[in-house]
Amino acid sequence: MAVNLQQAMDIGKYLVTQRLKGRKRFPLVLMLEPLFRCNLACTGCGKIQHPKEILKQNLTPEQCFAAVEECGAPVVSIPGGEPLLHPQIDEIVQGLIERKKYIYLCTNGLLLEKSLDKFQPSPYLTFSVHLDGMRELHDQCVDRKGVFDIAVKAIRAAKAKGFRVTTNTTIFEGTQAKDMQEFFDFLETLNTDGMMISPGYSYEWAPDQDHFLHREQTRALFRQILAPYKAAEKNWNFNHNPLFLDFLTGEKDYECTPWGSPSYSVLGWQKPCYLLNEGYYSTFKELLAQTDWSQYGQKSGNPKCADCMVHCGYEPTAAMDAMQPQNMARALGSVFGRG
């Protein structure tokens, strides 16, 4: 099963409730960044480019809980940095489980196996392990040899202990469709609870600015990569709304929902979304009320948004589209591993 059934039901109920209340802008996933420190220096990520005094900071569990309650999103993604470096990450996760939030703890896997005893398996907790391809490609992306093997071993250990585990793959320019298809076949052998994929987005601070995809490149590449899946020749287990996959291949033309995945970190609520460095608000209410949302998204003409097709902006759009009667059957199919 690609998506937890109870999770799908709870998110569907949340979306219906927001619409019945007449809310035009509401979050679906909170990107909770309890720290920016990391034990890798991936070439496509700009998080560790923050000043040293920022990298030393952690959100307290109380700050995390306050942000989650203020935001109200049913899903909490915990990226970083590397969240398992946080000295109180187990306390943060337990508090979110008690609040019945669906947690995706994003990790590069280096510390996962030795950290498993800090957690208990729960339908509310999923470890999302970052893997960008098979051994050679992944180790190149993270700029360190041996990381792929450590991450794969950790996935097997987590599954053996009863944890939910997904993988998270960022696809960059130059990726070969055949290589990615073979990678998906390999992931199927790990018996994970789904794969997540997204085109790379050009972080302004990322060391490598030469391998991010433009919009038409993204569509063409994902059409190639997903061709066997679309033709029902492969039944890869994606942890995605199938409408989002349609968007990646150009079958759907969505507009970004930038308020759908707000980001809260040691610096505050990020303007306007997880991927842009335009400053911070002190409260979520200020983020919603004071941001000129017309300045963001592909149709806005903002050059920073022109090529972005990343899941944090477009998965919320696909989620709302899935509530349309003509799309409900396909969206429900993802609960049982097929869209």
Side-chain angles (χ1 to χ4, degrees), residues 103-149:
I103 306 152
Y104 287 86
L105 193 157
C106 305
T107 174
N108 57 39
L110 290 178
L111 298 175
L112 178 56
E113 186 171 3
K114 66 176 64 176
S115 300
L116 291 176
D117 290 342
K118 295 181 178 181
F119 307 97
Q120 294 294 323
S122 166
Y124 290 102
L125 173 61
T126 300
F127 291 113
S128 179
V129 181
H130 186 84
L131 285 175
D132 280 342
M134 295 300 287
R135 182 179 293 106
E136 182 178 354
L137 174 59
H138 181 69
D139 288 355
Q140 177 183 339
C141 289
V142 301
D143 199 26
R144 186 186 299 179
K145 290 184 177 181
V147 174
F148 176 87
D149 290 333

Side-chain angles (χ1 to χ4, degrees), residues 5-15 74 100 102 124:
L5 179 58
Q6 186 61 50
Q7 178 179 340
M9 293 174 62
D10 287 346
I11 291 174
K13 180 181 177 181
Y14 170 82
L15 293 173
K100 296 185 177 181
Y102 290 97
Y124 290 102

Side-chain angles (χ1 to χ4, degrees), residues 169-172 197-202 212-214 218 222 244 247-248 307-311:
T169 301
T170 306
I171 298 176
F172 295 96
I197 55 175
S198 182
Y201 178 82
S202 54
F212 294 108
L213 291 161
H214 298 293
T218 295
F222 277 88
F244 175 69
F247 166 70
L248 291 179
D307 290 315
C308 181
M309 296 178 69
V310 181
H311 61 90

